[in-house]
Amino acid sequence: LTRLDAGGRRVRPGRPVLLHVLHAWGGGAERFVRDLMQADGSREHLVLVARGDHDRPPFGRRLCLHADLDAPPLQAWELSAPIPDCSAASPEVQALMSDLRLRWGVGAVLVSSLVGHSLDVLRTGLPTALCLHDLFPAWPLLHDARDPAREPFDQDTLARLISDAGPRFVFATQDAASWWALRDALFDTLASHEVQLVAPSEFARARAQALAPALAARPCRVIRHGLAGFPGHDAVAVARDPARLRVLVPGRVHGAKGSELLDGLVDALPDGVELVLLGAGPLGERYRGRRGVHLKKDYARDELPRWRDVLAPDLALLPSTVPETWSYTLSEMWALGLPVLCADLGAPAERLRACGAGWLLPPDAQAFARQLAALAADRQAITAARERIPRTQPGLPDMAA
């Protein structure tokens, strides 16, 4: 087939076509898709993105097909029956997937998110894989830090947690019974259509398989996310007060991704310790002017080495209290030569524990404050942790292969 992009140009014909399925929220799932598109030259990549309005449901108001996530879509479909969060079936999506297969020569499907989609994206009859960046929709509470191997993840617990979350629950259009029915539909679909499961870490695999016997019975392969290298830059030498412990806090800090811990930590920040919030975004304004806190709202990822030179931090702090399934930010901080302080949760804890290039703490602001005070008084501990940073990490070609 001859395929055209939005400008009427041919889209590299003659290659197998892989269709990615994604939400419009950005984050690690989008980063993974972008990285794989960049690194895999053996296939043509298309991305079906579910979009809503103003980050509110319905998250699948329209579906957009992209060959380049930074360009206008090749095609877009406004759904007459929008998908609020995730649905078991949609006749419109069934027809759309059939059309994509025929018109664009799609030969395989890789699902990175089911937010805003129906389970029909898993039922095309093509070779299909689901990447376990999260447990949605099998467990719609995305930031639930509890361990399914030790604590209940049943329907009654789901109903209680949804009630406790109140308006903070982003997927409030369905009750616990509806979510449970969708969960069963997901498991049935995975089994009946022989969908492959892929996880970015052993933690993500184990957490998914602990969630339900239906997932534990399915094979799941662990393929670690790759890290793109940083472009070269001219070194920048900046003098600063070496007596103060400078701690880099990279990335957005919304809710359980950072501000829930930072709010308490800023109040308890030890003397002689300063936090540099790099890329905190608009939410970072709540910390402007606070003692020991410096703020830079945004940064470009490829500029991180220069910011490392300019700021000269001693270590990095990841304030997320979410059980992340990988953490690109951890990979980047290690690539910059910075040991990391983070909560003892998720894949970051698993990865850090394996090498010792940092410190793991309970997700508690006071515990973080005490550890920072100890490091300010013992710089040799920082030097020792820096020496344990992995010398190499998986690259994008490794992941794509």
Side-chain angles (χ1 to χ4, degrees):
L1 296 178
T2 299
R3 297 179 292 280
L4 305 179
D5 69 10
R9 295 177 294 269
R10 290 181 63 151
V11 180
R12 297 185 303 181
R15 299 173 185 258
V17 178
L18 175 63
L19 178 69
H20 297 267
V21 178
L22 187 63
H23 56 48
W25 295 357
E30 181 179 310
R31 171 82 169 270
F32 163 72
V33 170
R34 288 178 177 272
D35 284 349
L36 188 52
M37 292 174 73
Q38 173 186 333
D40 177 24
S42 65
R43 290 172 290 191
E44 181 70 32
H45 293 258
L46 298 173
V47 191
L48 185 67
V49 181
R51 299 188 183 277
D53 296 320
H54 311 297
D55 294 327
R56 296 178 180 274
F59 298 113
R61 181 177 294 281
R62 67 190 66 86
L63 298 180
C64 302
L65 182 69
H66 293 263
D68 178 348
L69 286 169
D70 296 318
L74 306 175
Q75 289 181 269
W77 299 264
E78 194 85 14
L79 298 182
S80 60
I83 298 170
D85 30 53
C86 183
S87 66
S90 163
E92 289 180 279
V93 175
Q94 292 172 22
L96 186 155
M97 296 300 290
S98 178
D99 179 67
L100 288 177
R101 180 175 181 173
L102 293 173
R103 180 172 182 180
W104 296 92
V106 173
V109 179
L110 178 55
V111 178
S112 281
S113 176
L114 285 164
V115 173
H117 293 280
S118 84
L119 299 184
D120 298 295
V121 298
L122 300 169
R123 303 185 184 117
T124 63
L126 298 169
T128 299
L130 174 63
C131 191
L132 300 172
H133 300 288
D134 53 46
L135 297 176
F136 183 89
W139 195 256
L141 295 156
L142 299 181
H143 293 169
D144 188 353
R146 298 174 311 120
D147 183 351
R150 300 180 180 181
E151 300 182 80
F153 275 63
D154 53 28
Q155 185 175 341
D156 290 342
T157 303
L158 179 60
R160 176 176 58 81
L161 294 178
I162 289 175
S163 177
D164 291 346
R168 293 182 291 110
F169 182 46
V170 70
F171 301 121
T173 58
Q174 300 192 65
D175 60 16
S178 299
W179 282 113
W180 212 255
L182 182 61
R183 165 190 169 114
D184 288 341
L186 171 67
F187 296 160
D188 289 344
T189 298
L190 296 178
S192 61
H193 288 76
E194 298 185 356
V195 176
Q196 302 297 306
L197 298 182
V198 182
S201 63
E202 179 59 30
F203 165 81
R205 183 203 64 78
R207 182 172 174 82
Q209 294 187 337
L211 184 72
L215 289 177
R218 297 201 60 75
C220 180
R221 184 177 178 187
V222 175
I223 302 177
R224 297 182 295 168
H225 288 333
L227 181 68
F230 292 112
H233 74 290
D234 295 329
V236 179
V238 178
R240 71 168 183 86
D241 182 359
R244 297 182 65 81
L245 183 73
R246 179 166 288 179
V247 182
L248 181 65
V249 183
R252 295 295 194 252
V253 293
H254 179 72
K257 291 285 190 175
S259 63
E260 290 182 5
L261 188 142
L262 282 175
D263 286 349
L265 179 58
V266 168
D267 290 337
L269 199 63
D271 292 336
V273 176
E274 55 189 13
L275 302 180
V276 181
L277 274 57
L278 181 64
L283 192 65
E285 284 297 323
R286 67 200 293 170
Y287 306 112
R288 187 177 294 280
R290 301 294 296 275
R291 180 182 65 86
V293 178
H294 310 282
L295 182 66
K296 169 68 176 176
K297 283 188 179 181
D298 296 293
Y299 68 90
R301 185 260 182 194
D302 285 350
E303 293 177 356
L304 274 173
R306 182 176 294 277
W307 281 113
R308 185 261 326 270
D309 291 353
V310 169
L311 299 171
D314 297 292
L315 69 148
L317 185 155
L318 308 186
S320 174
T321 53
V322 174
E324 309 279 358
T325 56
W326 178 247
S327 182
Y328 283 107
T329 307
L330 174 62
S331 299
E332 290 168 347
M333 295 302 102
W334 279 347
L336 296 175
L338 298 177
V340 170
L341 176 64
C342 68
D344 192 359
L345 295 168
E350 177 183 87
R351 298 173 63 196
L352 198 153
R353 191 175 290 111
C355 67
W359 306 268
L360 295 171
L361 297 173
D364 172 75
Q366 294 299 322
F368 274 68
R370 289 191 296 271
Q371 183 66 63
L372 289 174
L375 292 173
D378 181 12
R379 302 302 178 90
Q380 286 300 113
I382 299 175
T383 301
R386 184 179 296 118
E387 292 173 351
R388 292 191 286 268
I389 293 173
R391 295 183 180 276
T392 60
Q393 298 187 64
L396 298 190
D398 302 315
M399 177 187 70

